């Protein structure tokens, strides 16, 4: 190609916006890349002389395929899914498995994990939503205003109905063990992760009945989307354990809920008689 042709080609590249051209040195044994700015390229020498014939590298014979690895497939009964209840599970074991849990984002804002409290062999378990500020501070469930109402409900209804039980005779816990920031509802993934511990608690205790307080507990234990109004007043089941849904005590603390209060007392009477008669 003549110098004139090269110059025309170069201008064509420049019009296209190509600023740098790369040219291999024709003489070096180890060809080096030369970077040149387009406007300053001087095409004094032809680029290459004769192409050098390179002998093709010998291709090594293909390797024999590696022996297939022996994969031990465990029997279905031997697979331990995470979160699955170990045999002879106990509340102590669940508590120590929780440890200083960071399995969900709720650990970020918590002060204390609120595992649960009460009688570990109780025939009745109350399940709330998650710790509030007072619970987070003390590490105990239902110790704030809603908790005082729950205690009154349990002890007041039992006394009226001639059932000799106190709050300490039942077991109380929550769906999530760490306080959600600003008392927001737990997110579905938080309920799913921490719910594994709730399920283990219920399986270890094997109560005669469960009382789900509010729609978060109902959702965690029954699945589905129905709220308390739809679910309360009839029996459900968590696995094989009879379950009653009633209003959360925080909801009952709102003065405009006189009907809900009466209904909650009815629900409570029902479950207390079923368990203790
Ligand atoms: Fe762990 Fe439950 Fe607390 Fe989440 S809420 S960090 S899963 S203990
Ligand atoms: N509300 C809950 O759901 N749980 C508690 O422990 C306290 C308030």
């Amino acid at each position: 190609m003549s110098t004139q042709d090269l110059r025309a080609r170069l201008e064509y590249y420049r019009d296209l916006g190509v600023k740098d051209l790369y040219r291999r040195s024709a003489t070096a044994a180890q060809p080096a890349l030369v970077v040149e700015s387009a406007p300053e390229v001087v095409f004094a020498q032809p680029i290459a002389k004769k192409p050098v014939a390179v002998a093709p590298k010998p291709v090594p014979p293909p390797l024999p395929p590696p022996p297939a690895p022996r994969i031990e497939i465990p029997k279905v009964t031997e697979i331990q899914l995470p979160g699955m209840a170990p045999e002879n599970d106990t509340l102590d074991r669940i508590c120590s498995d929780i440890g200083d849990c960071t399995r969900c984002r709720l650990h970020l804002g918590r002060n204390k994990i609120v595992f649960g409290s009460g009688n570990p062999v109780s025939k009745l378990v109350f399940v709330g939503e998650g710790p509030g500020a007072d619970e987070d501070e003390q590490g105990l469930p239902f110790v704030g205003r809603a908790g005082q109402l729950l205690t009154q409900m349990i002890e007041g209804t039992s006394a009226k109905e001639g059932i000799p039980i106190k709050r300490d005779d039942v077991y109380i816990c929550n769906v999530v063990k760490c306080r959600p920031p600003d008392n927001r509802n737990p997110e579905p993934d938080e309920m799913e992760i921490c719910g594994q511990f709730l399920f283990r608690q219920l399986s270890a205790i094997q109560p005669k009945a469960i009382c789900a307080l509010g729609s978060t507990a109902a959702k965690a234990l029954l699945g589905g989307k129905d709220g308390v109004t739809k679910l309360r007043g009839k029996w459900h089941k968590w696995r094989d354990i009879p379950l009653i849904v009633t209003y959360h005590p925080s909801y009952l603390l709102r003065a405009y809920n006189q009907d809900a209060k009466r209904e909650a007392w009815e629900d409570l009477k029902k479950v207390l008689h079923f368990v203790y008669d």
Side-chain angles (χ1 to χ4, degrees):
M1 195 183 280
S2 71
T3 309
Q4 221 175 359
D5 288 344
L6 277 171
R7 196 173 299 282
R9 176 74 57 91
L10 175 64
E11 273 165 10
Y12 169 70
Y13 285 141
R14 207 162 44 201
D15 290 343
L16 287 177
V18 177
K19 294 247 170 58
D20 296 321
L21 294 178
Y22 299 84
R23 180 164 61 93
R24 283 180 194 281
S25 160
T27 48
Q30 226 5 4
L33 282 177
V34 181
V35 179
E36 294 164 327
S37 274
E40 289 150 23
V41 176
V42 178
F43 295 97
Q45 301 166 1
I47 288 175
K49 290 172 185 164
K50 273 187 188 160
V52 180
V54 180
K57 271 192 185 168
V59 180
L63 290 171
R70 258 179 67 81
I71 299 170
E72 295 285 345
I73 299 168
K75 286 191 208 116
V76 171
T77 48
E78 289 166 6
I79 298 173
Q80 280 272 311
L81 295 173
M84 235 176 150
E87 241 178 274
N88 306 318
D89 208 7
T90 63
L91 293 180
D92 283 347
R93 182 158 176 192
I94 301 160
C95 196
S96 89
D97 283 352
I98 290 182
D100 196 13
C101 186
T102 56
R103 291 169 180 87
C104 86
R105 65 182 83 75
L106 292 182
H107 81 277
L108 295 167
R110 72 152 182 253
N111 230 326
K112 286 191 177 158
I113 292 178
V114 178
F115 179 69
S117 72
N119 178 2
V121 292
S122 175
K123 289 200 250 175
L124 177 57
V125 175
F126 288 87
V127 180
E129 178 176 304
D134 296 304
E135 291 77 17
D136 174 66
E137 203 178 296
Q138 295 185 44
L140 292 167
F142 283 100
V143 288
R145 250 166 45 89
Q148 285 165 23
L149 178 56
L150 179 63
T151 308
Q152 257 181 308
M153 286 165 71
I154 296 168
E155 300 193 349
T157 315
S158 304
K160 253 198 198 149
E161 297 298 309
I163 298 165
I165 63 149
K166 294 280 184 206
R167 172 182 160 134
D168 285 349
D169 295 314
V170 302
Y171 191 82
I172 301 174
C173 58
N174 285 302
V175 176
V176 294
K177 314 297 185 212
C178 300
R179 183 194 180 197
D182 303 318
N183 297 337
R184 67 155 168 79
N185 292 338
E187 300 279 350
D189 62 331
E190 296 157 359
M191 286 167 64
E192 183 161 341
I193 299 166
C194 209
Q196 301 297 313
F197 298 122
L198 171 65
F199 295 167
R200 283 179 62 185
Q201 284 172 300
L202 294 172
S203 298
I205 298 172
Q206 283 293 319
K208 196 170 167 191
I210 298 165
C211 182
L213 301 166
S215 53
T216 298
K219 253 178 220 129
L221 294 169
L222 299 175
K225 289 190 176 142
D226 290 339
V228 178
T229 330
K230 194 108 185 261
L231 295 170
R232 66 154 295 279
K234 45 187 176 276
W235 285 102
H236 304 269
K237 269 193 176 168
W238 177 78
R239 300 192 181 163
D240 271 342
I241 303 173
L243 181 148
I244 280 272
V245 177
T246 196
Y247 296 101
H248 192 287
S250 304
Y251 180 75
L252 299 175
L253 282 172
R254 293 171 214 156
Y256 51 82
N257 269 313
Q258 287 312 314
D259 277 354
K261 263 188 195 159
R262 185 184 40 78
E263 287 170 345
W265 256 267
E266 280 169 14
D267 298 332
L268 212 52
K269 260 185 359 195
K270 192 186 233 167
V271 77
L272 285 169
H273 280 296
F274 173 78
V275 170
Y276 294 102
D277 278 357

